[in-house]
Amino acid sequence: MSRPPTPKRKGTIWREADGNRTAIYEAETDGLHMLNATALAIWELCDGHTNIEEMVSAISELTGIEIGEARRDLTITLATLEGLGLVGYGDA
Amino acid sequence: MGTDLGNPSPHLIVWHQIGTDIDVGLTSLVQRIPTVIVAPDDLLTACVELGCRGFVSSDASANEMVEAIQTVADGGAYVSARLLGSLLRRRVDRRRGSDEALAKLEGLTAREMEVFLLAARGIGREPIAAQLFISSDTVRTHLQRVYRKLDVHTHAELVAFAWQTRQVSAGVEG
Protein backbone atom coordinates (compact mmCIF):
# COMPACT_ATOMS: atom_id res chain seq x y z
CA MET A 1 0.00 0.00 0.00
CA SER A 2 1.47 3.38 -0.98
CA ARG A 3 1.65 6.07 1.64
CA PRO A 4 0.68 9.67 0.98
CA PRO A 5 3.61 11.81 -0.18
CA THR A 6 5.54 13.64 2.51
CA PRO A 7 6.92 16.88 1.12
CA LYS A 8 9.99 18.52 2.62
CA ARG A 9 10.72 22.20 2.30
CA LYS A 10 13.91 23.65 0.93
CA GLY A 11 15.33 27.09 1.43
CA THR A 12 15.30 29.45 4.35
CA ILE A 13 13.29 32.49 5.32
CA TRP A 14 15.28 35.49 4.25
CA ARG A 15 13.04 38.26 5.48
CA GLU A 16 9.47 39.48 5.68
CA ALA A 17 8.87 41.93 2.87
CA ASP A 18 5.66 43.26 4.33
CA GLY A 19 2.88 41.93 6.52
CA ASN A 20 1.63 39.53 3.88
CA ARG A 21 4.69 38.32 1.97
CA THR A 22 7.90 36.59 2.94
CA ALA A 23 11.09 36.11 0.97
CA ILE A 24 12.49 32.56 0.82
CA TYR A 25 16.03 31.99 -0.41
CA GLU A 26 16.92 28.61 -1.95
CA ALA A 27 20.67 28.06 -2.20
CA GLU A 28 20.59 25.16 -4.68
CA THR A 29 18.99 27.27 -7.36
CA ASP A 30 20.23 30.56 -5.93
CA GLY A 31 16.64 31.65 -6.11
CA LEU A 32 14.80 34.23 -4.07
CA HIS A 33 11.04 33.81 -4.02
CA MET A 34 8.22 35.82 -2.51
CA LEU A 35 5.52 33.75 -0.87
CA ASN A 36 2.15 35.01 0.26
CA ALA A 37 0.81 34.00 3.65
CA THR A 38 -1.00 30.90 2.44
CA ALA A 39 1.94 29.57 0.46
CA LEU A 40 4.25 30.28 3.38
CA ALA A 41 1.98 28.38 5.77
CA ILE A 42 1.99 25.35 3.45
CA TRP A 43 5.76 25.60 2.99
CA GLU A 44 6.20 25.66 6.77
CA LEU A 45 4.08 22.49 7.09
CA CYS A 46 6.43 20.65 4.75
CA ASP A 47 8.72 19.28 7.43
CA GLY A 48 9.33 15.88 5.82
CA HIS A 49 7.11 14.13 8.41
CA THR A 50 3.66 15.53 7.65
CA ASN A 51 1.96 13.84 4.73
CA ILE A 52 -0.39 15.50 2.27
CA GLU A 53 -3.53 13.93 3.71
CA GLU A 54 -2.70 15.30 7.14
CA MET A 55 -2.27 18.74 5.60
CA VAL A 56 -5.57 18.45 3.73
CA SER A 57 -7.43 17.48 6.91
CA ALA A 58 -5.90 20.35 8.87
CA ILE A 59 -6.72 22.90 6.15
CA SER A 60 -10.28 21.63 5.80
CA GLU A 61 -10.80 21.63 9.55
CA LEU A 62 -9.35 25.11 9.98
CA THR A 63 -11.03 26.83 7.06
CA GLY A 64 -14.26 24.87 6.85
CA ILE A 65 -13.82 24.17 3.14
CA GLU A 66 -14.56 20.69 1.82
CA ILE A 67 -11.86 18.04 1.78
CA GLY A 68 -11.89 17.80 -2.02
CA GLU A 69 -11.44 21.51 -2.48
CA ALA A 70 -8.73 21.65 0.18
CA ARG A 71 -6.87 18.80 -1.54
CA ARG A 72 -7.12 20.52 -4.90
CA ASP A 73 -5.86 23.84 -3.58
CA LEU A 74 -3.06 22.18 -1.66
CA THR A 75 -1.98 20.16 -4.69
CA ILE A 76 -1.75 23.32 -6.77
CA THR A 77 0.26 25.13 -4.09
CA LEU A 78 2.65 22.21 -3.59
CA ALA A 79 3.14 21.85 -7.34
CA THR A 80 4.00 25.54 -7.53
CA LEU A 81 6.42 25.30 -4.62
CA GLU A 82 8.03 22.21 -6.17
CA GLY A 83 8.40 24.04 -9.46
CA LEU A 84 10.20 26.83 -7.67
CA GLY A 85 12.51 24.35 -6.00
CA LEU A 86 11.15 25.14 -2.55
CA VAL A 87 9.71 21.67 -1.85
CA GLY A 88 11.03 18.17 -2.56
CA TYR A 89 9.87 14.60 -2.06
CA GLY A 90 11.64 11.41 -0.96
CA ASP A 91 14.99 11.60 0.77
CA ALA A 92 15.65 15.35 0.73
CA MET B 1 -14.57 44.89 32.66
CA GLY B 2 -18.33 44.78 32.23
CA THR B 3 -19.64 45.05 28.74
CA ASP B 4 -22.98 46.66 28.08
CA LEU B 5 -23.77 46.21 24.45
CA GLY B 6 -27.06 48.00 24.73
CA ASN B 7 -29.81 47.45 22.20
CA PRO B 8 -29.91 46.52 19.32
CA SER B 9 -27.30 43.75 19.25
CA PRO B 10 -24.14 44.58 17.32
CA HIS B 11 -23.33 42.71 14.12
CA LEU B 12 -19.65 42.36 14.99
CA ILE B 13 -17.38 42.92 17.95
CA VAL B 14 -13.72 43.90 17.98
CA TRP B 15 -12.23 42.81 21.28
CA HIS B 16 -8.84 44.18 22.27
CA GLN B 17 -7.40 41.62 24.68
CA ILE B 18 -5.01 43.07 27.26
CA GLY B 19 -2.99 40.53 29.22
CA THR B 20 -3.31 36.74 29.13
CA ASP B 21 -6.45 36.27 31.24
CA ILE B 22 -9.30 35.98 28.81
CA ASP B 23 -12.47 37.53 30.25
CA VAL B 24 -15.12 34.94 31.04
CA GLY B 25 -17.69 37.24 29.48
CA LEU B 26 -15.86 37.01 26.17
CA THR B 27 -16.79 33.35 25.84
CA SER B 28 -20.52 34.02 25.75
CA LEU B 29 -20.03 37.03 23.47
CA VAL B 30 -18.04 35.03 20.94
CA GLN B 31 -20.72 32.35 20.83
CA ARG B 32 -23.41 34.88 19.93
CA ILE B 33 -21.74 37.58 17.86
CA PRO B 34 -18.96 37.37 15.24
CA THR B 35 -15.88 38.61 17.05
CA VAL B 36 -12.45 39.79 15.96
CA ILE B 37 -9.96 39.48 18.81
CA VAL B 38 -6.82 41.62 18.88
CA ALA B 39 -4.30 39.91 21.15
CA PRO B 40 -0.69 38.76 21.56
CA ASP B 41 0.32 35.87 19.28
CA ASP B 42 0.55 33.35 22.09
CA LEU B 43 -3.21 33.63 22.71
CA LEU B 44 -3.97 32.49 19.17
CA THR B 45 -4.92 28.91 20.04
CA ALA B 46 -7.02 29.91 23.05
CA CYS B 47 -8.93 32.52 21.06
CA VAL B 48 -9.54 30.28 18.07
CA GLU B 49 -10.77 27.48 20.32
CA LEU B 50 -13.06 30.01 21.98
CA GLY B 51 -14.74 30.33 18.59
CA CYS B 52 -13.72 33.81 17.50
CA ARG B 53 -14.12 34.46 13.78
CA GLY B 54 -11.07 36.66 13.53
CA PHE B 55 -7.71 36.94 15.27
CA VAL B 56 -5.30 39.80 14.70
CA SER B 57 -1.90 40.22 16.33
CA SER B 58 -1.57 43.10 18.76
CA ASP B 59 1.06 44.72 16.56
CA ALA B 60 -0.94 44.40 13.35
CA SER B 61 -1.21 47.37 11.03
CA ALA B 62 -4.37 49.41 10.63
CA ASN B 63 -4.78 47.94 7.12
CA GLU B 64 -4.74 44.43 8.50
CA MET B 65 -7.27 45.37 11.16
CA VAL B 66 -9.59 46.73 8.48
CA GLU B 67 -9.13 43.59 6.39
CA ALA B 68 -9.96 41.38 9.38
CA ILE B 69 -13.10 43.33 10.20
CA GLN B 70 -14.29 43.35 6.58
CA THR B 71 -13.64 39.61 6.22
CA VAL B 72 -15.53 38.69 9.38
CA ALA B 73 -18.34 41.12 8.58
CA ASP B 74 -18.71 39.38 5.22
CA GLY B 75 -19.14 36.05 7.00
CA GLY B 76 -15.59 34.80 6.66
CA ALA B 77 -12.83 33.98 9.12
CA TYR B 78 -9.52 35.80 9.49
CA VAL B 79 -6.19 35.08 11.14
CA SER B 80 -3.08 37.23 10.92
CA ALA B 81 -1.17 35.90 7.94
CA ARG B 82 2.06 35.07 9.73
CA LEU B 83 0.16 32.90 12.25
CA LEU B 84 -1.51 30.66 9.70
CA GLY B 85 1.38 28.18 9.60
CA SER B 86 1.40 27.89 13.38
CA LEU B 87 -2.34 27.29 13.44
CA LEU B 88 -2.13 24.57 10.80
CA ARG B 89 0.76 22.90 12.63
CA ARG B 90 -1.30 22.77 15.84
CA ARG B 91 -4.20 21.19 13.96
CA VAL B 92 -1.98 18.53 12.44
CA ASP B 93 -0.39 17.69 15.80
CA ARG B 94 -3.71 17.53 17.61
CA ARG B 95 -5.27 15.37 14.92
CA ARG B 96 -2.26 13.08 14.96
CA GLY B 97 -2.62 12.61 18.71
CA SER B 98 -6.29 11.70 18.28
CA ASP B 99 -5.52 9.21 15.51
CA GLU B 100 -2.90 7.48 17.65
CA ALA B 101 -5.35 7.19 20.54
CA LEU B 102 -8.03 5.69 18.31
CA ALA B 103 -5.54 3.17 16.96
CA LYS B 104 -4.86 2.02 20.53
CA LEU B 105 -8.58 1.57 21.13
CA GLU B 106 -8.85 -0.65 18.09
CA GLY B 107 -6.36 -2.99 19.77
CA LEU B 108 -8.80 -3.82 22.57
CA THR B 109 -10.89 -6.97 22.43
CA ALA B 110 -14.66 -6.66 22.69
CA ARG B 111 -14.60 -7.68 26.34
CA GLU B 112 -11.73 -5.35 27.15
CA MET B 113 -13.67 -2.51 25.54
CA GLU B 114 -16.69 -3.31 27.72
CA VAL B 115 -14.55 -3.26 30.86
CA PHE B 116 -12.78 -0.07 29.73
CA LEU B 117 -16.04 1.81 29.15
CA LEU B 118 -17.52 0.77 32.48
CA ALA B 119 -14.32 1.63 34.36
CA ALA B 120 -14.11 4.99 32.60
CA ARG B 121 -17.59 5.78 33.90
CA GLY B 122 -16.37 5.23 37.44
CA ILE B 123 -17.92 1.82 37.97
CA GLY B 124 -15.92 -0.35 40.39
CA ARG B 125 -14.51 -3.80 39.78
CA GLU B 126 -17.23 -5.72 41.67
CA PRO B 127 -20.18 -4.02 39.90
CA ILE B 128 -18.40 -4.53 36.56
CA ALA B 129 -18.03 -8.23 37.36
CA ALA B 130 -21.70 -8.51 38.28
CA GLN B 131 -22.80 -6.66 35.15
CA LEU B 132 -20.68 -8.78 32.81
CA PHE B 133 -21.24 -12.08 34.66
CA ILE B 134 -17.53 -12.61 35.21
CA SER B 135 -15.38 -12.81 38.32
CA SER B 136 -13.72 -9.83 39.96
CA ASP B 137 -10.31 -11.37 39.24
CA THR B 138 -11.18 -11.61 35.57
CA VAL B 139 -12.15 -7.93 35.57
CA ARG B 140 -8.78 -7.11 37.10
CA THR B 141 -7.00 -9.09 34.42
CA HIS B 142 -8.92 -7.31 31.68
CA LEU B 143 -8.18 -3.95 33.24
CA GLN B 144 -4.48 -4.70 33.39
CA ARG B 145 -4.51 -5.48 29.69
CA VAL B 146 -6.50 -2.32 28.96
CA TYR B 147 -4.00 -0.22 30.91
CA ARG B 148 -1.11 -1.77 28.99
CA LYS B 149 -2.69 -1.46 25.54
CA LEU B 150 -3.78 2.13 26.07
CA ASP B 151 -0.49 3.01 27.72
CA VAL B 152 -2.17 4.52 30.77
CA HIS B 153 -0.98 4.03 34.34
CA THR B 154 -3.72 5.36 36.60
CA HIS B 155 -7.49 5.42 36.67
CA ALA B 156 -7.35 9.17 36.10
CA GLU B 157 -5.35 8.63 32.91
CA LEU B 158 -7.84 6.01 31.78
CA VAL B 159 -10.73 8.45 32.26
CA ALA B 160 -8.79 11.19 30.46
CA PHE B 161 -8.18 8.78 27.58
CA ALA B 162 -11.88 7.99 27.39
CA TRP B 163 -12.63 11.71 27.26
CA GLN B 164 -10.05 12.36 24.57
CA THR B 165 -11.44 9.62 22.36
CA ARG B 166 -15.02 10.67 23.16
CA GLN B 167 -15.93 7.32 24.63
CA VAL B 168 -17.53 9.14 27.56
CA SER B 169 -19.13 12.55 27.77
CA ALA B 170 -19.53 15.15 30.51
CA GLY B 171 -21.94 14.57 33.37
CA VAL B 172 -22.61 11.87 35.89
CA GLU B 173 -24.29 8.71 34.80
CA GLY B 174 -26.35 6.91 37.40
Side-chain angles (χ1 to χ4, degrees):
Chain A
M1 180 191 304
S2 63
R3 300 168 68 179
T6 309
K8 186 168 176 60
R9 60 179 174 267
K10 301 178 183 178
T12 54
I13 291 178
W14 191 53
R15 70 182 184 92
E16 277 190 23
D18 57 41
N20 215 26
R21 294 184 304 162
T22 301
I24 307 291
Y25 175 69
E26 209 289 302
E28 244 176 71
T29 58
D30 194 29
L32 187 65
H33 308 281
M34 297 299 296
L35 299 187
N36 63 20
T38 304
L40 178 66
I42 301 301
W43 180 81
E44 288 178 327
L45 267 186
C46 297
D47 58 1
H49 303 291
T50 305
N51 65 52
I52 288 178
E53 288 308 311
E54 288 180 306
M55 295 182 189
V56 168
S57 297
I59 292 168
S60 175
E61 204 174 291
L62 183 64
T63 62
I65 64 176
E66 291 183 352
I67 288 280
E69 187 178 346
R71 185 178 291 113
R72 188 178 67 243
D73 291 346
L74 177 66
T75 301
I76 292 171
T77 302
L78 286 175
T80 303
L81 291 173
E82 188 181 11
L84 293 173
L86 295 178
V87 160
Y89 294 85
D91 289 334
Chain B
M1 184 172 80
T3 307
D4 182 2
L5 299 178
N7 199 16
S9 297
H11 297 291
L12 181 146
I13 290 175
V14 179
W15 179 281
H16 190 189
Q17 176 67 29
I18 297 173
T20 57
D21 293 327
I22 296 179
D23 195 300
V24 172
L26 178 60
T27 306
S28 63
L29 273 178
V30 166
Q31 302 299 323
R32 294 186 290 114
I33 302 168
T35 304
V36 175
I37 297 179
V38 183
D41 289 0
D42 54 4
L43 290 183
L44 169 64
T45 300
C47 291
V48 168
E49 290 182 348
L50 209 55
C52 72
R53 300 301 305 278
F55 182 93
V56 178
S57 294
S58 297
D59 56 358
S61 65
N63 286 342
E64 185 175 356
M65 185 73 69
V66 169
E67 186 179 353
I69 293 172
Q70 284 181 332
T71 302
V72 173
D74 289 341
Y78 185 94
V79 169
S80 285
R82 68 164 189 250
L83 301 176
L84 192 55
S86 174
L87 208 53
L88 281 174
R89 168 54 56 198
R90 283 188 171 92
R91 292 277 170 156
V92 168
D93 289 346
R94 188 166 66 181
R95 195 178 174 86
R96 208 176 261 168
S98 294
D99 289 345
E100 288 171 356
L102 287 174
K104 288 177 182 175
L105 268 183
E106 287 173 4
L108 298 181
T109 65
R111 183 61 96 186
E112 287 167 355
M113 178 62 88
E114 286 181 309
V115 171
F116 161 64
L117 291 176
L118 290 171
R121 286 170 171 81
I123 298 174
R125 200 193 313 168
E126 294 293 341
I128 291 176
Q131 188 166 336
L132 299 182
F133 301 100
I134 56 180
S135 73
S136 177
D137 285 343
T138 303
V139 171
R140 182 178 59 191
T141 302
H142 284 312
L143 270 176
Q144 287 173 340
R145 289 188 187 132
V146 167
Y147 273 53
R148 189 185 74 246
K149 289 183 179 182
L150 300 185
D151 194 23
V152 298
H153 306 284
T154 65
H155 180 74
E157 287 182 6
L158 182 136
V159 173
F161 188 100
W163 266 83
Q164 179 190 3
T165 52
R166 305 190 181 191
Q167 301 304 309
V168 295
S169 55
V172 177
E173 297 183 23

